[in-house]
Amino acid sequence: MTMQDTTRQEAATRTLAQGRAAGELELKRTEFDLAVQLGHIRVTAGASGGPPRVAQEEIARLRAAEGFPDALREHVRTVGTVEGAELLSISPARFTRLARTGHVTPIRFYLNRYRAVVWLYLCEELVGFARAHPALLTGRTPPALRSLLEEGEDRRARNWRGRRLGMLLRATGDPWERAAAIASVLDAVTVAEVVTDPYERSRLRVLRPELVPARPESPAAHAVVERLLLADHPDEILWHRVNLSQALREARESCPAPRPSARTGQVAQAPQAVPRGGHSLRKRRGPYGRGLLRRLRLRRAGAVG
């Protein structure tokens, strides 16, 4: 065994897999994952590109903290609308109005048996909001908020996407992974408009992170989740387009996307125009969508020709 192998083995023995670390910290796996995303638990990169692990020193630090394990659990405790309203001593309807106007931001969601979206909120944040904005918890809803609600405003999905994307960006310093994270909240047509090179799109598709841990198997439920994952407001789409363009420039400067080797004479198959989770260009209505599809086909033919 080489010195490098010995060092790697010793490092592995000083860290724990995430499942075992969750047990050591007396957390459910969902609680552990959320604690990692929020930065309450520090993880280290796994060996040879494997899943992140938790150092034994980190486990010891958290177990030695005052109030363990209840204090750690409280950091990741979530509630739905009814429990959140009870926590703030307001009606569920008022809580929903505050959430729809963006005053409280969901941390997670799930679908119930009726395929309805159930948003979850951090208890700590709700308590902090109540302390900072007591006037919004009593009396009549301010006219500006009433106007938004009458127009059908609902920022819950938009704010959740922004929050989840922020977590993904903080979790990596790799320029291509950061660009892929931004692209994950944009539909395929928008990504193709920003990322015109098919090999760069292929790179982003390979590195595309999952915004949710698992997709439902039911087609109807899967469609509901897919709608929540993609930006749907013009301002939101524009914001992510600009950020993707900037992230793509930084990624190109750090390392160009892999391309076929001219020396070997092998030509790789051109990447698909539609990333996983995107919308088919064939479904894009109007002459603009058809023209974009035609240009992508011509560009792909040139890439493999």
Side-chain angles (χ1 to χ4, degrees):
M1 181 179 294
T2 65
M3 180 66 68
Q4 184 178 6
D5 292 336
T6 302
T7 303
R8 185 176 302 170
Q9 184 175 3
E10 291 177 352
T13 59
R14 294 194 298 268
T15 61
L16 301 179
Q18 296 186 50
R20 184 178 173 187
E24 292 286 333
L25 296 174
E26 302 182 31
L27 295 175
K28 298 177 182 178
R29 185 54 191 266
T30 54
E31 294 174 331
F32 175 86
D33 292 340
L34 185 54
V36 171
Q37 293 171 6
L38 294 172
H40 298 305
I41 300 176
R42 297 190 294 261
V43 296
T44 59
S48 302
R53 299 173 66 86
V54 183
Q56 291 182 341
E57 292 82 357
E58 178 70 359
I59 300 292
R61 179 187 72 85
L62 293 168
R63 291 182 62 89
E66 183 179 358
F68 175 85
D70 294 336
L72 182 57
R73 288 187 187 137
E74 192 63 24
H75 285 317
V76 294
R77 187 163 73 94
T78 59
V79 292
T81 297
V82 174
E83 294 174 305
E86 293 177 353
L87 184 64
L88 301 185
S89 300
I90 59 177
S91 68
R94 191 180 194 97
F95 185 94
T96 300
R97 289 196 295 269
L98 292 173
R100 289 181 58 185
T101 52
H103 288 84
V104 292
T105 300
I107 187 68
R108 295 174 55 197
F109 73 88
Y110 68 91
L111 301 186
N112 62 16
R113 59 180 178 175
Y114 305 107
R115 294 195 295 272
V117 180
V118 179
W119 295 105
L120 299 176
Y121 306 84
L122 282 173
C123 290
E124 281 189 337
E125 292 184 351
L126 295 182
V127 172
F129 168 78
R131 292 172 179 171
H133 305 281
L136 292 176
L137 305 182
T138 59
R140 294 177 57 84
T141 302
L145 299 188
R146 286 204 307 269
S147 177
L148 289 175
L149 294 169
E150 290 172 357
E151 294 173 359
E153 184 73 14
D154 190 347
R155 300 178 181 175
R156 288 174 293 185
R158 178 180 180 179
N159 287 351
W160 171 79
R161 284 190 294 267
R163 181 173 204 164
R164 185 72 183 101
L165 177 57
M167 291 177 177
L168 293 171
L169 294 176
R170 288 191 297 271
T172 181
D174 181 82
W176 280 105
E177 290 182 357
R178 293 176 64 85
I182 299 172
S184 69
V185 299
L186 294 171
D187 64 73
V189 173
T190 304
V191 172
E193 291 170 353
V194 178
V195 189
T196 57
D197 187 291
Y199 295 101
E200 291 180 342
R201 289 198 302 274
S202 177
R203 177 72 167 168
L204 297 180
R205 186 170 61 252
V206 169
L207 298 175
R208 182 188 182 96
E210 291 293 344
L211 296 180
V212 292
R215 308 287 180 91
E217 296 181 0
S218 165
H222 189 275
V224 173
V225 172
E226 285 296 316
R227 286 197 298 269
L228 297 176
L229 302 184
L230 297 178
D232 57 4
H233 191 279
D235 290 344
E236 181 189 11
I237 295 173
L238 177 60
W239 172 262
H240 293 313
R241 282 179 63 113
V242 173
N243 287 338
L244 177 58
S245 297
Q246 177 62 31
L248 189 62
R249 286 194 293 269
E250 296 175 357
R252 289 167 177 162
E253 293 174 357
S254 67
C255 178
R259 296 178 179 277
S261 174
R263 181 178 57 186
T264 60
Q266 296 178 349
V267 180
Q269 182 178 1
Q272 296 294 323
V274 181
R276 180 182 58 186
H279 301 299
S280 173
L281 293 179
R282 297 180 184 273
K283 298 180 180 179
R284 181 76 173 253
R285 297 180 179 178
Y288 179 75
R290 292 193 296 270
L292 176 59
L293 178 59
R294 184 163 54 251
R295 291 196 300 275
L296 288 174
R297 285 172 174 171
L298 292 174
R299 187 178 295 114
R300 185 186 306 175
V304 300

